[in-house]
């Protein structure tokens, strides 16, 4: 299982946002939607072993599960519509019980700390001071934690200093969260393979 | 210089498409817009050594130049609006003379063959039968050629069989064109570097 947790600092926590202005009025929801796309989609297929968790304003988390999702499309607008549908049912998310929104889409009343607590796996923080990914052994059941267009807040950084099993750097330049997800998938897809025809041993 | 040429088989060649339905009425323009994003954007910056060429229906090509582009945003909708503005000026694109649309955005009346003819560099076809990228030396001034949600047409495949200097495979699974661009950038970003602090020799 590969999981990606993305902190959306300016993301909406109520459904009254327009689908026509995702970068502005919807607080860079465009970026978060691209993270869902990068996390779950293969060409003409879905990564069934992947989940993407969008943390909205440290208040709610929308979980997209590749194994059970149905009818997801890769474009930003339709994914944002799913987030909006999720937030419309926020009254049904109580404690750790999610609101069921659509097949494979659930809304939790949880911020980053509770979301990380609820996940099992190796928490990997993507960080500019981390080890180069090429030099690191691929983690088992990785939970990658990424930030949107803003840096992690001080509180998130403290939380991750405790929670993260590893800090990893993907390259010399800081890149967008969705691009980082594509690179992380490729790193895991190709590890241990040379000609991509099968395992090397 | 890194260049990415993306064939949009169902993409619009006139500006009368709605920004609210990029996957449908605009012929998967959402995917092409994400390719512009993946090709040009760094976190809080632009890759000045990169260009993305969107081939629209083998009739027009919109060129986005990272060095001269101004005011580009990463979301699909605003990028699609740039494509629409470009197509509004299609009468000004004559022969190999482009229509100047916005800083860093030009429209050419050229399909894939003419676009490839006009570019210099090492043409790299991303192909499932290609060599594993990890085993290949990074090309000089690569021109990556990708397809949208559809395979290359027979005519494009024949053209690329002649034009492509290399065929490269990024991983075991076929991935979306925009994800492939992110992976290709990372491959080039990290080549020859170990700790990303500087060249290894």
């Amino acid at each position: 299982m590969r999981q990606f947790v993305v902190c959306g600092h300016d993301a909406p926590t109520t459904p009254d946002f327009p689908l026509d202005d995702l970068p502005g009025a919807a607080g860079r929801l465009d970026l978060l939607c691209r993270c869902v796309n990068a996390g779950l989609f293969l060409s003409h297929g879905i990564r069934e072993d992947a989940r993407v968790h969008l943390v909205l304003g440290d208040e709610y988390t929308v979980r997209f599960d590749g194994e059970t999702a149905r009818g997801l499309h890769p474009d930003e607008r339709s994914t944002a519509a799913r987030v909006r549908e999720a937030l419309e049912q926020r009254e049904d998310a109580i404690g750790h019980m999610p609101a069921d929104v659509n097949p494979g889409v659930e809304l939790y009343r949880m911020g980053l700390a509770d979301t990380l607590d609820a996940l099992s796996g190796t928490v990997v923080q993507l960080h500019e001071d981390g080890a180069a990914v090429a030099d690191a052994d691929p983690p088992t059941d990785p939970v990658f934690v990424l930030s949107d267009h803003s840096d992690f807040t001080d509180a998130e950084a403290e939380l991750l200093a405790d929670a993260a099993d590893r800090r990893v750097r993907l390259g010399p330049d800081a890149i967008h969260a969705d691009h980082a997800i594509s690179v992380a998938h490729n790193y895991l897809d190709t590890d241990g393979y040379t000609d991509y025809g099968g395992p090397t041993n």
Side-chain angles (χ1 to χ4, degrees), chain A:
Chain A
M1 168 76 73
R2 303 175 187 177
Q3 301 191 75
F4 301 91
V5 177
V6 191
C7 296
H9 296 97
D10 301 327
T13 53
T14 57
D16 52 349
F17 60 84
L19 297 179
D20 289 347
D21 187 15
L22 301 179
R28 292 309 311 277
L29 192 56
D30 61 309
L31 172 62
L32 300 184
C33 292
R34 288 195 301 278
C35 288
V36 175
N37 168 329
L40 299 190
F41 279 93
L42 287 170
S43 183
H44 304 290
I46 289 273
R47 291 183 183 269
E48 295 193 356
D49 65 339
R51 289 180 180 169
V52 178
H53 309 260
L54 302 183
V55 182
L56 309 177
D58 208 24
E59 192 171 345
Y60 294 102
T61 295
V62 187
R63 171 188 293 184
F64 291 82
D65 184 342
E67 188 174 3
T68 52
R70 296 287 175 274
L72 275 188
H73 296 284
D75 66 299
E76 295 166 8
R77 186 184 176 95
S78 69
T79 307
R82 293 292 175 100
V83 172
R84 194 162 72 173
E85 288 164 14
L87 286 170
E88 282 167 355
Q89 298 185 42
R90 65 196 184 284
E91 300 302 329
D92 296 339
I94 299 168
H96 281 210
M97 291 296 295
D100 261 327
V101 183
N102 275 297
V105 184
E106 293 176 326
L107 179 77
Y108 290 83
R109 191 181 293 271
M110 302 200 294
L112 178 62
D114 288 340
T115 293
L116 288 182
D117 273 351
L119 302 181
S120 60
T122 305
V123 176
V124 181
Q125 183 182 9
L126 296 180
H127 194 286
E128 59 187 7
D129 294 331
V133 71
D135 299 336
D137 287 333
T140 306
D141 290 327
V143 178
F144 292 96
V145 186
L146 306 95
S147 188
D148 61 1
H149 62 295
S150 303
D151 287 338
F152 289 112
T153 64
D154 289 347
E156 289 165 350
E158 275 182 38
L159 182 69
L160 285 168
D162 283 343
D165 301 297
R166 297 191 191 180
R167 296 209 296 186
V168 163
R169 185 179 185 178
L170 297 176
D173 297 308
I175 58 177
H176 283 206
D178 57 314
H179 303 165
I181 290 173
S182 294
V183 171
H185 266 316
N186 182 259
Y187 162 64
L188 295 167
D189 287 345
T190 56
D191 184 76
Y193 289 72
T194 49
D195 63 358
Y196 309 142
T200 49
N201 50 38

